[in-house]
Amino acid sequence: EGKIVDFLGDSITEGVGVKDRENNRYDNRIKKQCNLKAAYNYGISGTRIAHQRKPSEKPRYDLCFCGRAYDLNPKADVVVVYGGINDYIHGDAPFGEIGDTTPQTFCGGVEFLMSLLEELYPNAQKVFMTPARMQYDTMNDELPSQRDMKYSDAKPVIEYVKIIEQTGKKH
């Protein structure tokens, strides 16, 4: 109650497909239900945590979470990050491995983002929500995305979830 919350994310955070965003987008619902002082939405559809190697059709889609973290409200009491599903579906960065520290891989992007948020917003509570279960098009939880742009080390969505959880525990 009375807190300022920043929401960083992709299409879900932006509210794509939500009728009446003012009343039904999840950040606005939380604002009302928790009587927040302010809720700032930094959702951009199609974006990923990690950098994109090859530019997308729309440059806006290449504004990765790591770069956008610098633009959050510095007075936020809480920073909520909801992403990773686009890294899984169509991100072309390699998956990488634990120990990577740059946004050039998914693993490194998660580490970089969590470290950066600690540095830029040391007093804010950080909340990372993991990607939801995947049943879309020909994709599901058990298979890596088969999209043409995917790097050869692509993993099932649960592996993206595990990296966010493991890195979160470290931080």
Side-chain angles (χ1 to χ4, degrees), residues 55-159:
S56 300
E57 294 174 12
K58 295 183 180 181
R60 184 173 191 253
Y61 292 166
D62 295 331
L63 299 173
C64 72
F65 289 29
C66 294
R68 292 174 21 236
Y70 292 96
D71 299 328
L72 301 178
N73 179 346
K75 295 182 180 179
D77 299 298
V78 181
V79 175
V80 177
V81 179
Y82 187 21
I85 200 64
N86 290 328
D87 294 271
Y88 162 75
I89 295 172
H90 57 74
D92 69 358
F95 184 80
E97 57 189 40
I98 291 287
D100 291 350
T101 59
T102 71
Q104 304 307 316
T105 69
F106 176 75
C107 294
V110 173
E111 173 62 38
F112 181 90
L113 182 58
M114 288 187 183
S115 295
L116 181 63
L117 291 175
E118 283 295 322
E119 177 186 328
L120 296 177
Y121 312 100
N123 297 320
Q125 180 179 4
K126 285 66 159 187
V127 177
F128 275 74
M129 295 191 290
T130 59
R133 296 194 58 123
M134 173 52 70
Q135 297 294 324
Y136 173 72
D137 198 15
T138 60
M139 293 172 273
N140 65 55
D141 290 344
E142 299 169 11
L143 300 171
S145 172
Q146 299 298 309
R147 299 240 173 131
D148 291 342
M149 76 286 291
K150 292 303 294 176
Y151 199 75
S152 61
D153 70 344
K155 309 273 189 243
V157 71
I158 191 64
E159 297 303 318

